[in-house]
Amino acid sequence: LNYPHVVARLGTVEVKQVHHRIGLPNLHYEATATGYYELDLADPEQRFVCQELVHYADVEPGQNCIDVQYQGMDFNIPVGWFTSVPRKGVLVLYYCRTKEVLLTVLEHGSYAAGTGAWQVTDKNLSRFTQSYLLPYCTDDDAVQRGCSPWGDAWVKQSKLRVLRIRLAD
């Protein structure tokens, strides 16, 4: 359940190798969907992840897709994408959840109850997270709730990290 935080420590070339060897759909999990995405929709595996994110955004309340760009331009995901995602173009976004939604997903495996999603338990829930995200994963009583940040305040820090990684590559 900690794939996003492990991969965040890798460079672009290493991330592409992990995706190629394991397959992006095998690494994507609803409980840890919060994060940065840069998806080439011509690739069926990346298009699958996009379809999943669009589905989550449709079902979960709140503003989930932040700073969305399609083909390098600011973009609002149209209603038509809920039934069919395009087969070309690059979509970039930050997927965010409210604390309430994230806790529901952690408790039930999915926000949409009764979907048969794999439930998260203490045995498979990692609390390993990058240090810059820790304040966004911790309750007011200093208890860490999983490894995914809630809200959208973490996006600014993540943008800086993405920029730093690109400059290093």
Side-chain angles (χ1 to χ4, degrees), residues 52-61 64-65 82 95:
E52 291 294 293
L53 293 173
V54 169
H55 169 72
Y56 306 154
D58 185 38
V59 174
E60 297 172 1
N64 307 98
C65 299
F82 296 126
Y95 192 80

Side-chain angles (χ1 to χ4, degrees), residues 61-110:
Q63 176 77 20
N64 307 98
C65 299
I66 306 292
D67 292 342
V68 180
Q69 290 191 341
Y70 181 63
Q71 297 294 83
M73 298 186 312
D74 290 344
F75 187 71
N76 291 318
I77 297 174
V79 175
W81 282 35
F82 296 126
T83 56
S84 179
V85 173
R87 296 182 175 270
K88 63 180 179 178
V90 175
L91 182 74
V92 177
L93 63 88
Y94 290 86
Y95 192 80
C96 300
R97 289 178 162 145
T98 65
K99 180 180 177 183
E100 295 74 24
V101 168
L102 183 62
L103 294 178
T104 299
V105 170
L106 290 176
E107 182 179 342
H108 300 288
S110 172

Side-chain angles (χ1 to χ4, degrees), residues 33-39 53 57 60 62-69 75 77 91-97 132-133 149 151-166:
T34 302
Y36 171 74
Y37 292 87
E38 188 170 332
L39 301 168
L53 293 173
E60 297 172 1
Q63 176 77 20
N64 307 98
C65 299
I66 306 292
D67 292 342
V68 180
Q69 290 191 341
F75 187 71
I77 297 174
L91 182 74
V92 177
L93 63 88
Y94 290 86
Y95 192 80
C96 300
R97 289 178 162 145
Y132 83 97
L133 289 176
D152 61 5
W154 61 272
V155 171
K156 181 179 179 183
Q157 293 293 323
S158 185
K159 285 181 182 181
L160 294 172
R161 289 185 65 83
V162 168
L163 181 59
R164 191 184 86 212
I165 290 169
R166 286 200 177 147

Side-chain angles (χ1 to χ4, degrees), residues 1 4 7 30 45 64 86 91 98 107 121 139-140 151 155-156:
L1 288 182
V7 169
E30 185 172 352
E45 292 187 350
N64 307 98
L91 182 74
T98 65
E107 182 179 342
T121 65
D139 269 338
D140 294 336
V155 171
K156 181 179 179 183

